[in-house]
Amino acid sequence: MNNTNRKALALRIIAVFMLIMGIIGTARGSTAAIACLCSSASMVTASNWIVRRSR
């Protein structure tokens, strides 16, 4: 596994944890958790961009 794939994998793992925290926060009524959901989507997009750029 090269360095680029490791960076993309790390971003995806962090994004999954942020997505889970955002879902839990939204379920508990926190409006600030929406920012967590949006940033999770941004991180997934960034990891996809990194993988595409490395090909």
Side-chain angles (χ1 to χ4, degrees):
M1 185 182 288
N2 62 18
N3 198 22
T4 304
N5 287 342
R6 285 184 185 160
K7 287 179 186 176
L9 182 62
L11 279 176
R12 287 179 181 162
I13 290 171
I14 293 169
V16 167
F17 282 123
M18 290 178 74
L19 180 65
I20 291 169
M21 289 188 325
I23 291 170
I24 291 170
T26 305
R28 296 181 75 187
S30 171
T31 55
I34 295 170
C36 200
L37 293 172
C38 292
S39 61
S40 172
S42 299
M43 293 182 81
V44 169
T45 303
S47 71
N48 288 340
W49 184 74
I50 287 171
V51 169
R52 268 191 238 128
R53 200 177 97 192
S54 69
R55 290 183 185 168

